[in-house]
Coordinates of all heavy atoms in Angstrom, one line a residue:
M1 N -21.2 -17.0 -28.2 CA -20.7 -15.9 -27.5 C -21.7 -14.7 -27.6 O -22.3 -14.5 -28.6 CB -19.4 -15.4 -28.2 CG -18.2 -16.4 -28.1 SD -16.7 -15.8 -28.9 CE -16.2 -14.5 -27.8
S2 N -21.8 -14.0 -26.5 CA -22.7 -12.9 -26.4 C -22.0 -11.6 -26.9 O -20.8 -11.6 -27.1 CB -23.2 -12.8 -25.0 OG -22.1 -12.4 -24.1
V3 N -22.8 -10.6 -27.0 CA -22.3 -9.3 -27.5 C -21.2 -8.7 -26.5 O -20.2 -8.2 -27.0 CB -23.4 -8.3 -27.8 CG1 -22.9 -7.0 -28.1 CG2 -24.3 -8.9 -28.9
P4 N -21.5 -8.7 -25.2 CA -20.4 -8.2 -24.3 C -19.1 -8.9 -24.4 O -18.1 -8.3 -24.3 CB -21.1 -8.3 -22.9 CG -22.5 -8.4 -23.1 CD -22.7 -9.1 -24.5
E5 N -19.2 -10.3 -24.6 CA -17.9 -11.0 -24.7 C -17.2 -10.6 -26.0 O -15.9 -10.5 -25.9 CB -18.2 -12.5 -24.8 CG -18.8 -13.1 -23.5 CD -19.2 -14.5 -23.6 OE1 -19.3 -15.0 -24.7 OE2 -19.5 -15.1 -22.6
I6 N -17.9 -10.4 -27.0 CA -17.2 -10.0 -28.3 C -16.6 -8.6 -28.1 O -15.5 -8.3 -28.5 CB -18.2 -10.0 -29.5 CG1 -18.6 -11.5 -29.7 CG2 -17.6 -9.4 -30.7 CD1 -19.7 -11.6 -30.7
V7 N -17.4 -7.7 -27.5 CA -16.9 -6.3 -27.3 C -15.6 -6.3 -26.4 O -14.6 -5.6 -26.7 CB -18.0 -5.4 -26.7 CG1 -17.5 -4.1 -26.2 CG2 -19.1 -5.2 -27.7
L8 N -15.7 -7.1 -25.3 CA -14.5 -7.2 -24.4 C -13.3 -7.8 -25.2 O -12.2 -7.3 -25.0 CB -14.8 -7.9 -23.2 CG -15.7 -7.2 -22.2 CD1 -16.1 -8.2 -21.0 CD2 -15.0 -6.0 -21.6
G9 N -13.5 -8.7 -26.0 CA -12.5 -9.3 -26.8 C -11.8 -8.3 -27.7 O -10.6 -8.3 -27.9
I10 N -12.7 -7.5 -28.4 CA -12.1 -6.5 -29.3 C -11.3 -5.5 -28.6 O -10.3 -5.1 -29.0 CB -13.3 -5.9 -30.1 CG1 -13.9 -6.9 -31.1 CG2 -12.8 -4.6 -30.9 CD1 -15.1 -6.5 -31.8
I11 N -11.8 -5.1 -27.4 CA -11.1 -4.1 -26.6 C -9.8 -4.6 -26.1 O -8.8 -3.9 -26.1 CB -12.0 -3.6 -25.4 CG1 -13.2 -2.8 -25.9 CG2 -11.2 -2.8 -24.4 CD1 -14.2 -2.5 -24.9
L12 N -9.7 -5.9 -25.7 CA -8.5 -6.5 -25.3 C -7.5 -6.6 -26.5 O -6.3 -6.3 -26.3 CB -8.7 -8.0 -24.8 CG -9.2 -8.1 -23.4 CD1 -9.5 -9.5 -23.1 CD2 -8.0 -7.6 -22.5
I13 N -7.9 -6.9 -27.7 CA -7.1 -6.9 -28.8 C -6.5 -5.5 -29.1 O -5.3 -5.4 -29.4 CB -7.8 -7.5 -30.1 CG1 -8.0 -9.0 -29.9 CG2 -7.0 -7.3 -31.4 CD1 -8.9 -9.6 -30.9
L14 N -7.3 -4.5 -29.1 CA -6.9 -3.2 -29.3 C -5.9 -2.7 -28.2 O -4.9 -2.0 -28.6 CB -8.1 -2.2 -29.3 CG -9.0 -2.4 -30.5 CD1 -10.2 -1.4 -30.4 CD2 -8.3 -2.1 -31.8
A15 N -6.1 -3.1 -27.0 CA -5.2 -2.7 -25.9 C -3.8 -3.4 -26.1 O -2.8 -2.8 -25.9 CB -5.8 -3.1 -24.6
A16 N -3.9 -4.7 -26.5 CA -2.6 -5.4 -26.8 C -1.9 -4.8 -28.0 O -0.6 -4.6 -27.9 CB -3.0 -6.9 -27.1
L17 N -2.6 -4.4 -29.0 CA -1.9 -3.8 -30.1 C -1.3 -2.4 -29.7 O -0.3 -2.0 -30.2 CB -2.9 -3.6 -31.3 CG -3.3 -4.9 -32.0 CD1 -4.4 -4.6 -33.1 CD2 -2.1 -5.5 -32.6
A18 N -2.0 -1.7 -28.8 CA -1.5 -0.4 -28.4 C -0.3 -0.6 -27.6 O 0.7 0.2 -27.7 CB -2.6 0.3 -27.5
I19 N -0.2 -1.6 -26.7 CA 1.0 -1.9 -26.0 C 2.2 -2.2 -26.9 O 3.3 -1.6 -26.8 CB 0.8 -3.0 -25.0 CG1 -0.1 -2.6 -23.8 CG2 2.2 -3.5 -24.4 CD1 -0.5 -3.7 -22.9
I20 N 1.9 -3.0 -27.9 CA 3.0 -3.3 -28.9 C 3.5 -2.1 -29.6 O 4.7 -1.9 -29.7 CB 2.4 -4.4 -29.9 CG1 2.2 -5.7 -29.2 CG2 3.4 -4.6 -31.0 CD1 1.4 -6.7 -30.0
V21 N 2.6 -1.3 -30.1 CA 3.0 -0.1 -30.8 C 3.8 0.9 -29.9 O 4.8 1.4 -30.4 CB 1.7 0.6 -31.4 CG1 2.1 2.0 -31.9 CG2 1.1 -0.2 -32.5
V22 N 3.3 1.1 -28.7 CA 4.0 2.1 -27.8 C 5.4 1.6 -27.5 O 6.4 2.3 -27.4 CB 3.2 2.4 -26.6 CG1 4.0 3.2 -25.6 CG2 1.9 3.1 -27.0
V23 N 5.5 0.3 -27.2 CA 6.9 -0.3 -26.9 C 7.8 -0.2 -28.1 O 9.0 0.1 -28.0 CB 6.7 -1.8 -26.4 CG1 8.0 -2.5 -26.3 CG2 6.0 -1.8 -25.0
L24 N 7.3 -0.5 -29.3 CA 8.1 -0.5 -30.5 C 8.6 1.0 -30.8 O 9.6 1.1 -31.5 CB 7.4 -1.1 -31.7 CG 7.3 -2.6 -31.6 CD1 6.5 -3.1 -32.8 CD2 8.7 -3.3 -31.6
L25 N 7.8 2.0 -30.4 CA 8.2 3.3 -30.7 C 9.3 3.9 -29.8 O 9.9 4.8 -30.2 CB 6.9 4.3 -30.6 CG 5.9 4.2 -31.7 CD1 4.7 5.0 -31.4 CD2 6.5 4.6 -33.0
Q26 N 9.5 3.2 -28.7 CA 10.5 3.6 -27.8 C 11.9 3.3 -28.4 O 12.1 2.3 -29.1 CB 10.4 2.9 -26.4 CG 9.1 3.4 -25.7 CD 9.0 2.7 -24.4 OE1 9.9 2.0 -23.9 NE2 7.8 2.8 -23.8
E27 N 12.9 4.2 -28.0 CA 14.2 4.0 -28.5 C 15.0 3.1 -27.5 O 14.6 3.0 -26.3 CB 15.0 5.3 -28.6 CG 14.5 6.2 -29.7 CD 15.3 7.4 -29.8 OE1 16.4 7.5 -29.3 OE2 14.9 8.3 -30.5
G28 N 16.0 2.4 -28.0 CA 16.8 1.6 -27.2 C 17.7 2.4 -26.3 O 17.8 3.6 -26.5
H29 N 18.3 1.8 -25.3 CA 19.1 2.5 -24.3 C 20.6 2.4 -24.6 O 21.4 2.7 -23.7 CB 18.8 2.0 -22.9 CG 17.4 2.4 -22.5 ND1 17.0 3.7 -22.1 CD2 16.3 1.6 -22.3 CE1 15.8 3.7 -21.8 NE2 15.3 2.5 -21.9
D30 N 21.0 2.1 -25.8 CA 22.4 2.0 -26.2 C 22.8 3.4 -26.6 O 22.4 4.0 -27.6 CB 22.6 1.1 -27.4 CG 22.2 -0.3 -27.1 OD1 22.3 -0.7 -25.9 OD2 21.8 -1.1 -28.0
R31 N 23.7 4.0 -25.8 CA 24.1 5.4 -26.0 C 25.2 5.5 -27.1 O 25.3 6.6 -27.7 CB 24.6 6.0 -24.7 CG 23.6 6.1 -23.6 CD 22.5 7.0 -24.0 NE 21.5 7.0 -23.0 CZ 20.2 7.4 -23.2 NH1 19.9 7.8 -24.3 NH2 19.3 7.3 -22.2
D32 N 25.9 4.5 -27.3 CA 27.0 4.6 -28.3 C 26.6 4.3 -29.7 O 27.4 4.2 -30.6 CB 28.1 3.6 -27.9 CG 28.8 4.0 -26.5 OD1 28.7 5.2 -26.2 OD2 29.2 3.1 -25.8
V33 N 25.3 4.0 -30.0 CA 24.9 3.7 -31.3 C 25.0 4.9 -32.2 O 25.3 4.7 -33.4 CB 23.4 3.2 -31.3 CG1 22.9 3.0 -32.6 CG2 23.3 1.9 -30.5
G34 N 24.8 6.1 -31.8 CA 25.0 7.3 -32.6 C 26.4 7.4 -33.1 O 26.6 7.9 -34.2
V35 N 27.4 7.0 -32.4 CA 28.7 7.1 -32.8 C 29.0 6.1 -33.9 O 29.7 6.4 -34.9 CB 29.7 6.9 -31.6 CG1 31.1 6.9 -32.1 CG2 29.5 8.0 -30.6
V36 N 28.5 4.9 -33.8 CA 28.7 3.9 -34.8 C 28.0 4.2 -36.1 O 28.6 4.1 -37.2 CB 28.2 2.5 -34.3 CG1 28.2 1.5 -35.3 CG2 28.9 2.1 -33.0
T37 N 26.8 4.7 -36.0 CA 26.1 5.0 -37.3 C 26.4 6.4 -37.8 O 26.0 6.7 -38.9 CB 24.6 5.0 -37.0 OG1 24.2 5.9 -36.0 CG2 24.1 3.6 -36.6
G38 N 27.2 7.2 -37.1 CA 27.6 8.5 -37.6 C 26.6 9.6 -37.3 O 26.8 10.7 -37.7
G39 N 25.6 9.3 -36.5 CA 24.6 10.3 -36.2 C 25.1 11.1 -35.0 O 25.3 10.6 -33.9
A40 N 25.3 12.4 -35.2 CA 25.7 13.3 -34.1 C 24.5 13.9 -33.4 O 23.7 14.5 -34.1 CB 26.6 14.4 -34.7
D41 N 24.4 13.7 -32.1 CA 23.3 14.2 -31.4 C 23.7 15.6 -30.9 O 24.7 15.8 -30.2 CB 23.0 13.3 -30.2 CG 22.4 12.0 -30.6 OD1 21.8 12.0 -31.7 OD2 22.5 11.0 -29.9
T42 N 22.8 16.5 -31.1 CA 23.0 17.8 -30.5 C 22.3 17.9 -29.2 O 21.5 17.0 -28.8 CB 22.4 18.9 -31.5 OG1 21.0 18.7 -31.6 CG2 23.0 18.9 -32.9
F43 N 22.5 19.0 -28.5 CA 21.9 19.1 -27.2 C 20.4 19.2 -27.3 O 19.6 18.5 -26.5 CB 22.4 20.4 -26.5 CG 21.8 20.6 -25.2 CD1 22.1 19.8 -24.1 CD2 20.8 21.6 -25.0 CE1 21.5 20.1 -22.8 CE2 20.3 21.9 -23.8 CZ 20.6 21.1 -22.7
L44 N 19.8 19.8 -28.3 CA 18.4 20.0 -28.4 C 17.8 18.7 -28.9 O 16.7 18.3 -28.4 CB 18.1 21.1 -29.5 CG 18.5 22.5 -29.1 CD1 18.2 23.4 -30.2 CD2 17.7 22.9 -27.8
S45 N 18.4 17.9 -29.7 CA 17.8 16.6 -30.1 C 17.8 15.6 -29.0 O 17.0 14.8 -28.9 CB 18.5 16.0 -31.3 OG 19.9 15.6 -31.0
Q46 N 18.8 15.7 -28.1 CA 18.9 14.8 -26.9 C 17.7 15.1 -26.0 O 17.1 14.2 -25.4 CB 20.2 14.9 -26.2 CG 21.4 14.3 -26.9 CD 22.7 14.4 -26.2 OE1 22.7 15.2 -25.2 NE2 23.7 13.8 -26.7
N47 N 17.5 16.4 -25.8 CA 16.4 16.7 -24.9 C 15.0 16.4 -25.4 O 14.1 15.9 -24.7 CB 16.4 18.2 -24.5 CG 17.5 18.6 -23.6 OD1 18.0 17.7 -22.8 ND2 18.0 19.8 -23.6
S48 N 14.8 16.5 -26.7 CA 13.5 16.2 -27.3 C 13.4 14.7 -27.3 O 12.3 14.2 -27.1 CB 13.4 16.7 -28.7 OG 14.3 16.1 -29.6
A49 N 14.4 13.9 -27.5 CA 14.4 12.5 -27.4 C 14.0 12.0 -26.0 O 13.2 11.1 -25.9 CB 15.7 11.8 -27.9
R50 N 14.5 12.7 -25.0 CA 14.2 12.3 -23.7 C 12.7 12.6 -23.3 O 12.1 11.8 -22.7 CB 15.1 13.0 -22.7 CG 16.5 12.5 -22.6 CD 17.3 13.1 -21.5 NE 18.7 12.7 -21.6 CZ 19.7 13.5 -21.5 NH1 19.5 14.8 -21.2 NH2 20.9 13.0 -21.6
S51 N 12.2 13.7 -23.8 CA 10.8 14.0 -23.5 C 9.9 13.0 -24.3 O 8.9 12.6 -23.7 CB 10.5 15.4 -23.9 OG 10.6 15.6 -25.3
I52 N 10.2 12.6 -25.5 CA 9.4 11.6 -26.2 C 9.5 10.3 -25.5 O 8.5 9.6 -25.3 CB 9.9 11.6 -27.7 CG1 9.5 12.9 -28.4 CG2 9.2 10.4 -28.4 CD1 10.1 13.0 -29.8
D53 N 10.7 9.9 -25.1 CA 10.9 8.6 -24.4 C 10.1 8.6 -23.0 O 9.5 7.6 -22.7 CB 12.4 8.4 -24.1 CG 13.1 7.9 -25.3 OD1 12.4 7.5 -26.3 OD2 14.3 8.0 -25.4
T54 N 10.1 9.7 -22.3 CA 9.4 9.7 -21.1 C 7.9 9.7 -21.3 O 7.2 9.0 -20.6 CB 9.7 11.0 -20.2 OG1 9.5 12.1 -21.0 CG2 11.2 10.9 -19.7
F55 N 7.5 10.3 -22.4 CA 6.0 10.3 -22.8 C 5.6 8.9 -23.1 O 4.6 8.4 -22.6 CB 5.8 11.2 -23.9 CG 4.4 11.2 -24.5 CD1 3.4 11.8 -23.9 CD2 4.2 10.5 -25.7 CE1 2.1 11.7 -24.4 CE2 2.9 10.4 -26.2 CZ 1.9 11.0 -25.6
L56 N 6.4 8.2 -23.9 CA 6.1 6.8 -24.3 C 6.2 5.9 -23.1 O 5.4 4.9 -23.0 CB 7.0 6.4 -25.5 CG 6.8 7.1 -26.8 CD1 7.9 6.7 -27.8 CD2 5.5 6.8 -27.3
A57 N 7.2 6.1 -22.3 CA 7.3 5.2 -21.1 C 6.1 5.4 -20.2 O 5.6 4.4 -19.6 CB 8.6 5.6 -20.3
R58 N 5.6 6.6 -20.0 CA 4.4 6.8 -19.2 C 3.2 6.2 -19.8 O 2.4 5.5 -19.1 CB 4.2 8.3 -19.1 CG 3.1 8.7 -18.1 CD 2.8 10.2 -18.0 NE 4.1 10.9 -17.8 CZ 4.4 12.0 -18.6 NH1 3.6 12.4 -19.6 NH2 5.5 12.6 -18.4
W59 N 3.0 6.3 -21.1 CA 1.9 5.7 -21.7 C 2.0 4.2 -21.8 O 0.9 3.5 -21.7 CB 1.7 6.2 -23.1 CG 0.9 7.5 -23.1 CD1 1.3 8.8 -23.2 CD2 -0.5 7.6 -22.8 NE1 0.3 9.7 -23.0 CE2 -0.9 9.0 -22.8 CE3 -1.5 6.7 -22.6 CZ2 -2.1 9.4 -22.5 CZ3 -2.8 7.1 -22.4 CH2 -3.1 8.5 -22.3
T60 N 3.2 3.6 -21.8 CA 3.3 2.2 -21.7 C 2.8 1.7 -20.4 O 2.1 0.7 -20.3 CB 4.8 1.8 -21.9 OG1 5.3 2.3 -23.2 CG2 5.0 0.3 -21.8
K61 N 3.2 2.4 -19.3 CA 2.7 2.0 -18.0 C 1.2 2.1 -17.9 O 0.5 1.2 -17.4 CB 3.4 2.8 -16.9 CG 4.9 2.6 -16.8 CD 5.5 3.5 -15.9 CE 7.0 3.4 -15.9 NZ 7.7 4.5 -15.2
I62 N 0.6 3.2 -18.4 CA -0.8 3.4 -18.3 C -1.6 2.3 -19.1 O -2.5 1.7 -18.6 CB -1.2 4.8 -18.8 CG1 -0.6 5.8 -17.8 CG2 -2.7 4.9 -19.0 CD1 -0.7 7.3 -18.3
I63 N -1.1 2.0 -20.3 CA -1.8 1.1 -21.2 C -1.7 -0.4 -20.6 O -2.6 -1.2 -20.6 CB -1.3 1.1 -22.6 CG1 -1.7 2.5 -23.2 CG2 -1.9 0.0 -23.4 CD1 -1.1 2.7 -24.6
A64 N -0.5 -0.7 -20.0 CA -0.3 -2.0 -19.4 C -1.2 -2.2 -18.2 O -1.8 -3.3 -18.1 CB 1.2 -2.1 -19.0
V65 N -1.3 -1.2 -17.4 CA -2.2 -1.3 -16.2 C -3.6 -1.5 -16.7 O -4.4 -2.3 -16.2 CB -2.0 -0.1 -15.2 CG1 -3.1 -0.1 -14.2 CG2 -0.6 -0.2 -14.6
A66 N -4.0 -0.7 -17.6 CA -5.4 -0.8 -18.2 C -5.6 -2.2 -18.8 O -6.7 -2.8 -18.6 CB -5.6 0.3 -19.2
F67 N -4.6 -2.7 -19.5 CA -4.7 -4.0 -20.1 C -5.0 -5.1 -19.0 O -5.8 -6.0 -19.2 CB -3.5 -4.3 -20.9 CG -3.5 -5.7 -21.6 CD1 -4.3 -5.9 -22.7 CD2 -2.8 -6.7 -21.0 CE1 -4.3 -7.2 -23.3 CE2 -2.8 -8.0 -21.6 CZ -3.5 -8.2 -22.7
F68 N -4.1 -5.1 -18.0 CA -4.3 -6.1 -16.9 C -5.6 -6.0 -16.2 O -6.2 -7.0 -15.9 CB -3.1 -6.0 -16.0 CG -1.8 -6.6 -16.5 CD1 -0.7 -5.8 -16.7 CD2 -1.8 -7.9 -16.9 CE1 0.4 -6.3 -17.2 CE2 -0.6 -8.4 -17.5 CZ 0.5 -7.6 -17.6
V69 N -6.0 -4.8 -15.9 CA -7.4 -4.6 -15.3 C -8.5 -5.1 -16.2 O -9.4 -5.8 -15.7 CB -7.6 -3.1 -14.9 CG1 -9.0 -2.8 -14.5 CG2 -6.6 -2.7 -13.8
L70 N -8.3 -4.8 -17.5 CA -9.3 -5.3 -18.4 C -9.4 -6.8 -18.5 O -10.4 -7.4 -18.6 CB -9.1 -4.7 -19.8 CG -10.1 -4.9 -20.9 CD1 -11.5 -4.3 -20.4 CD2 -9.7 -4.2 -22.2
V71 N -8.2 -7.5 -18.5 CA -8.1 -8.9 -18.5 C -8.8 -9.5 -17.3 O -9.6 -10.5 -17.3 CB -6.6 -9.4 -18.6 CG1 -6.5 -10.9 -18.3 CG2 -6.1 -9.1 -20.0
I72 N -8.5 -8.9 -16.1 CA -9.1 -9.4 -14.9 C -10.6 -9.2 -14.9 O -11.4 -10.1 -14.5 CB -8.5 -8.7 -13.6 CG1 -7.0 -9.2 -13.5 CG2 -9.2 -9.0 -12.4 CD1 -6.2 -8.4 -12.5
A73 N -11.1 -8.1 -15.4 CA -12.5 -7.8 -15.4 C -13.2 -8.7 -16.4 O -14.3 -9.2 -16.2 CB -12.7 -6.3 -15.8
T74 N -12.5 -9.0 -17.5 CA -13.1 -10.0 -18.5 C -13.2 -11.4 -17.9 O -14.2 -12.0 -18.1 CB -12.2 -10.0 -19.8 OG1 -12.1 -8.7 -20.3 CG2 -12.8 -10.9 -20.8
N75 N -12.2 -11.8 -17.2 CA -12.3 -13.1 -16.6 C -13.4 -13.2 -15.5 O -14.1 -14.2 -15.4 CB -10.9 -13.5 -16.0 CG -9.9 -13.9 -17.1 OD1 -10.3 -14.5 -18.0 ND2 -8.7 -13.6 -16.9
I76 N -13.5 -12.2 -14.7 CA -14.6 -12.1 -13.7 C -15.9 -12.1 -14.4 O -16.9 -12.9 -14.0 CB -14.4 -10.9 -12.8 CG1 -13.2 -11.1 -11.9 CG2 -15.7 -10.7 -12.0 CD1 -12.8 -9.8 -11.1
F77 N -16.1 -11.4 -15.5 CA -17.3 -11.3 -16.2 C -17.7 -12.7 -16.8 O -18.8 -13.2 -16.8 CB -17.3 -10.3 -17.3 CG -18.5 -10.2 -18.2 CD1 -19.6 -9.6 -17.7 CD2 -18.5 -10.8 -19.5 CE1 -20.8 -9.6 -18.5 CE2 -19.6 -10.7 -20.3 CZ -20.8 -10.1 -19.8
M78 N -16.7 -13.4 -17.4 CA -16.9 -14.7 -18.0 C -17.3 -15.7 -16.9 O -18.1 -16.6 -17.1 CB -15.6 -15.2 -18.7 CG -15.2 -14.3 -19.9 SD -16.4 -14.5 -21.2 CE -15.5 -13.9 -22.5
F79 N -16.6 -15.6 -15.8 CA -16.9 -16.5 -14.7 C -18.3 -16.3 -14.2 O -19.0 -17.3 -13.9 CB -15.9 -16.3 -13.5 CG -16.1 -17.2 -12.3 CD1 -15.9 -18.5 -12.4 CD2 -16.7 -16.7 -11.2 CE1 -16.1 -19.4 -11.3 CE2 -16.9 -17.5 -10.1 CZ -16.6 -18.8 -10.1
M80 N -18.7 -15.1 -14.0 CA -20.1 -14.8 -13.5 C -21.2 -15.2 -14.5 O -22.3 -15.6 -14.1 CB -20.2 -13.3 -13.2 CG -19.2 -12.8 -12.1 SD -19.4 -13.8 -10.6 CE -20.6 -12.8 -9.8
T81 N -20.9 -15.0 -15.8 CA -22.0 -15.4 -16.8 C -22.1 -16.9 -17.0 O -23.1 -17.3 -17.5 CB -21.7 -14.6 -18.1 OG1 -20.4 -15.0 -18.6 CG2 -21.8 -13.1 -18.0
N82 N -21.0 -17.6 -16.8 CA -21.0 -19.1 -17.0 C -21.5 -19.9 -15.8 O -21.6 -21.1 -15.9 CB -19.7 -19.6 -17.4 CG -19.3 -19.1 -18.8 OD1 -20.2 -18.8 -19.6 ND2 -18.0 -19.0 -19.0
K83 N -21.8 -19.2 -14.7 CA -22.3 -19.9 -13.5 C -23.8 -20.3 -13.7 O -24.6 -19.8 -14.3 CB -22.2 -19.0 -12.3 CG -21.0 -19.4 -11.5 CD -21.1 -18.6 -10.2 CE -20.3 -19.4 -9.2 NZ -20.2 -18.8 -7.9

């Protein structure tokens, strides 16, 4: 394996871990869970949760697109170097 292949592999692993972390940080969409657990949501906490959720959703999309572009670029690079 050459140095560019190793670097691209490390970047792919970091991008995959970033997707996993961002997805796990997002909250579920079950609205009645607060009632079951006894957590009362105030108006301000609901708005801050929405802004955090939209931020995480946006970054999930950005990281996912970057991951797929990186995978395609890596495959093209591997194909071109093995010819």
Side-chain angles (χ1 to χ4, degrees):
M1 290 182 73
S2 65
V3 174
E5 292 173 352
I6 294 171
V7 170
L8 287 173
I10 291 171
I11 293 172
L12 276 174
I13 291 171
L14 292 176
L17 290 174
I19 290 173
I20 292 169
V21 168
V22 171
V23 168
L24 288 176
L25 285 175
Q26 293 179 10
E27 289 186 14
H29 293 287
D30 297 331
R31 297 293 176 204
D32 296 330
V33 172
V35 175
V36 173
T37 60
D41 289 333
T42 63
F43 179 73
L44 295 175
S45 69
Q46 287 179 350
N47 285 338
S48 67
R50 285 188 187 136
S51 64
I52 292 171
D53 284 341
T54 54
F55 174 78
L56 291 173
R58 184 180 316 127
W59 275 103
T60 301
K61 293 173 189 172
I62 292 170
I63 294 172
V65 168
F67 178 77
F68 286 118
V69 169
L70 189 60
V71 167
I72 292 170
T74 302
N75 284 324
I76 291 172
F77 177 76
M78 295 291 199
F79 178 74
M80 298 302 271
T81 57
N82 289 334
K83 258 189 158 179

